[in-house]
């Protein structure tokens, strides 16, 4: 069967639409940022297009790879991600209080973005290798422990940066992978309770950085520090509120073009959509993200391969929680953390990791429909009837 016919085209069209929308929003958010562009209004959008092109090439490469090689390469991807996290702690750049970036040839790489995908496929591979071939496929305590160990090492390295936003996304992803793997409910309840206890202990023990405490306090009440930690949230709400139903038009948002919202091309890019495209445009963006989640969960539910099912479900949890966290902080219903909006925010690492995950979803989808095609082709008259 032709490889293109095996694609989930609904998923592909939704992702491409998000990339087009992303390009317009990044362009609008950076057009007048002379401090970033050096006077070239298209500098950032050109870099963004290059990031998208590289990401699409990576997606195609993963999609076209034989599924047996995907499982063979998975441990190497995991080890490489750990190497990147160790490297960033030794020679990384500190931005906004977090040592999360490595400068490579004029490009800033954020290893923690790739760690999300590495943890998903690492946990899926461990479960598949431990349960396939057993007469009982039920997930046991030792399986859960092994999967948690796979996630614990990169999580600990991310804590050392520290990158609270990525840690929250990774924690939600791990929980989703465990649930998709069929982990007993008592284990999930214990893990959830343990996570809450750990978070409480961190806060009570004074282990959070000062700026993290200020961000949390600003989340509870932005008016406590309107010119400091609460500034981002207040300006984000103003920008989104200015948009009304249909928005002020691309490149015409007063708050956006006035550069009142910090990091508007990265973490707060949803405010550009809210102000310039309005409620309708924002809902279209959210709907496209929803389609991506729907197709990922559909792929997970239709495959008989345990590795593919757990990996697809984990990717859906990753995208879903990260999108909720990003949009939520722009609306003031979630604390401000440095997480990008999948497929929309400017940033090479996030774009590369996200499109690699889409390539993996397409690879799993192709494996799912191939056996059905073979059965139809081997049954005389069946294709004609259908």
């Amino acid at each position: 069967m032709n490889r293109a016919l095996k694609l989930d085209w609904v998923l592909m069209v939704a992702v491409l639409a998000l990339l087009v929308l992303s390009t317009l929003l990044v362009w609008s958010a950076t057009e007048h940022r002379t401090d970033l562009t050096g006077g070239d209004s298209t500098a950032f959008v050109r870099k963004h297009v290059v990031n998208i092109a590289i990401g699409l090439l990576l997606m195609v490469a993963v999609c076209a790879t034989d599924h047996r090689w995907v499982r063979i390469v998975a441990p190497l991807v995991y080890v490489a991600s750990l190497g990147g996290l160790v490297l960033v702690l030794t020679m990384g750049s500190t931005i906004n209080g977090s040592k999360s970036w490595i400068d490579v040839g004029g490009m800033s790489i954020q290893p923690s973005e790739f760690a999300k995908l590495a943890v998903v496929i690492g946990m899926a591979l461990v479960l598949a290798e431990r349960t396939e071939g057993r007469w009982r496929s039920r997930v046991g305590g030792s399986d859960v422990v092994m999967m948690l160990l796979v996630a614990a090492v990169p999580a600990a390295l991310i804590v050392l940066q520290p990158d609270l936003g990525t840690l929250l996304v990774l924690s939600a992803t791990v929980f989703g992978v465990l649930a998709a793997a069929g982990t007993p409910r008592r284990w999930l309840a214990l893990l959830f309770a343990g996570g809450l206890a750990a978070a409480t202990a961190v806060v009570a023990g004074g282990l959070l950085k000062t700026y993290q405490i200020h961000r949390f306090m600003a989340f509870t009440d932005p008016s406590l520090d309107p010119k400091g930690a609460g500034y981002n949230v207040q300006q984000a709400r103003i920008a989104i509120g200015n948009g009304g139903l249909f928005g002020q038009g691309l490149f015409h948002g007063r708050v956006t073009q006035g550069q009142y919202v910090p990091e508007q091309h990265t973490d707060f890019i949803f405010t550009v959509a809210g102000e310039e495209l309005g409620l309708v445009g924002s809902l279209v963006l959210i709907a496209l993200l929803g389609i991506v989640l729907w197709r990922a969960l559909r792929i997970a539910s239709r495959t008989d391969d345990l590795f593919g099912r757990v990996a697809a479900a984990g990717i859906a949890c990753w995208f879903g929680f990260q999108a909720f966290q990003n949009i939520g902080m722009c609306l003031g219903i979630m604390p401000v953390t440095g997480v990008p909006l999948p497929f929309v925010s400017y940033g090479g690492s996030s774009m590369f990791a996200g499109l690699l995950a889409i390539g993996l979803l397409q690879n799993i989808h192709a494996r799912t429909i191939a056996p059905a095609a073979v059965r139809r082709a081997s049954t005389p008259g069946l294709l004609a009837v259908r």
Side-chain angles (χ1 to χ4, degrees), residues 40 49 126 136 156 176 199 249 260 278:
D40 184 354
V49 170
V126 164
R136 290 182 67 185
Y260 292 106

Side-chain angles (χ1 to χ4, degrees), residues 82-94 98-102 111 153-154 156-162:
L82 292 184
L85 291 173
V86 171
L87 193 61
V88 80
L89 290 174
T90 58
M91 54 181 294
S93 303
T94 301
S98 179
K99 197 172 187 178
S100 304
W101 285 265
I102 304 175
V153 179
L157 293 172
I158 291 171
V159 168
L160 294 175
Q161 293 181 4

Side-chain angles (χ1 to χ4, degrees), residues 343-366:
F343 310 111
V344 182
S345 292
Y346 174 86
S349 299
S350 174
M351 188 64 69
F352 300 159
L355 290 175
L356 280 169
I358 295 297
L360 180 56
L361 287 175
Q362 295 287 12
N363 189 294
I364 297 167
H365 172 73

Side-chain angles (χ1 to χ4, degrees), residues 185-221:
R185 293 179 181 178
R186 63 180 181 277
W187 275 88
L188 295 176
L190 286 172
L191 289 171
F192 185 76
L196 289 179
T200 302
V202 166
V203 175
L207 300 179
L208 292 178
K209 301 287 186 179
T210 302
Y211 77 91
Q212 292 173 328
I213 297 174
H214 289 169
R215 283 182 178 180
F216 181 77
M217 295 303 294
F219 161 65
T220 58
D221 186 1

Side-chain angles (χ1 to χ4, degrees), residues 10 13 16 31 89 163 174 217 221 238 257 259 291 324 328:
V10 175
V13 169
L16 291 175
E31 183 183 23
L89 290 174
D163 187 349
V174 169
M217 295 303 294
D221 186 1
I238 292 171
Q257 303 307 319
Q259 306 169 32
I291 291 172
F324 175 77

Side-chain angles (χ1 to χ4, degrees), residues 41-113:
S41 62
T42 62
F44 261 69
V45 74
R46 289 203 308 270
K47 292 179 182 178
H48 189 61
V49 170
V50 170
N51 288 338
I52 289 174
I54 295 173
L56 289 174
L57 288 175
L58 293 173
M59 179 195 73
V60 171
V62 174
C63 180
T65 301
D66 187 278
H67 72 276
R68 291 169 294 184
W69 278 104
V70 172
R71 291 183 61 158
I72 291 172
V73 173
L76 300 178
V77 173
Y78 179 79
V79 172
S81 72
L82 292 184
L85 291 173
V86 171
L87 193 61
V88 80
L89 290 174
T90 58
M91 54 181 294
S93 303
T94 301
I95 301 176
N96 294 330
S98 179
K99 197 172 187 178
S100 304
W101 285 265
I102 304 175
D103 293 325
V104 180
M107 176 182 291
S108 294
I109 303 296
Q110 190 175 4
S112 58
E113 288 296 325

